[in-house]
Amino acid sequence: MRIGTIAHYYIVRSGINTLYIGTFASAEPTVGELRFIARLNKATLPNGNPNAEINGGTAIEGSDVFLVNGVTRSKFYSSVSIQNYAFGDV
């Protein structure tokens, strides 16, 4: 999908529960940051990561962070913990 100078790419493989998403900006975007938000039908991905499950939780920070069985979870889940990110140019 391309909108202006920003292109989103989606890569999937049959039988693998991973959706790879890439973003390319051919020019500096006018927005302050880039985000990718996918609204997916949960029934089509029944074997997702259980750590991303927020059903049954209580919203504790707006509608982004939930408390589930004593553990905080975000509906904006990444399989890489923030402490394991490899930051460049920060």
Side-chain angles (χ1 to χ4, degrees), residues 65-82:
V65 178
F66 294 79
L67 186 63
V68 180
N69 298 324
V71 177
T72 56
R73 297 183 181 176
S74 174
K75 64 182 179 180
F76 304 110
Y77 181 79
S78 170
S79 62
V80 179
S81 296
I82 192 70

Side-chain angles (χ1 to χ4, degrees), residues 21-43:
I21 303 169
T23 301
F24 176 75
S26 60
E28 187 69 28
T30 57
V31 295
E33 61 185 61
L34 290 175
R35 287 190 213 185
F36 183 87
I37 299 174
R39 289 177 173 81
L40 306 173
N41 180 345
K42 187 175 181 176

